[in-house]
Amino acid sequence: MPEHSYTAEGTDFQNLLSMGFSESEAARLTHMRDHVTEQTEYRELLQESRRLGFIRWLIDHDRISH
């Protein structure tokens, strides 16, 4: 993962440092927190795509009618 620079004023970053995390660890955790919603949305889209693909397969193979 590329290194990200976070300002020294970042409260969350400073809290992590005060809890004993290294600067690198604190930066990674802050980055992960900031991007977790993007990952959640991607997983939901992937699940929906798989569901639709399965329904399409059921219809194509006359397992259900539309």
Side-chain angles (χ1 to χ4, degrees):
M1 175 189 332
E3 291 296 320
H4 299 279
S5 60
Y6 291 90
T7 61
E9 300 87 38
T11 305
D12 292 331
F13 184 77
Q14 291 299 320
N15 286 341
L16 290 169
L17 291 177
S18 70
M19 293 170 60
F21 289 95
S22 70
E23 286 188 15
S24 175
E25 292 169 332
R28 287 183 179 146
L29 286 169
T30 304
H31 175 78
M32 288 173 59
R33 187 218 46 221
D34 292 343
H35 293 87
V36 72
T37 56
E38 295 169 3
Q39 294 172 5
T40 300
E41 291 170 1
Y42 173 75
R43 281 192 306 254
E44 290 172 353
L45 287 171
L46 189 57
Q47 288 175 345
E48 183 68 15
S49 175
R50 288 177 178 160
R51 284 186 199 109
L52 291 173
F54 180 63
I55 292 170
R56 199 172 297 118
W57 183 89
L58 290 172
I59 292 170
D60 290 346
H61 291 85
D62 296 322
R63 304 293 176 146
I64 61 172
S65 60
H66 55 286

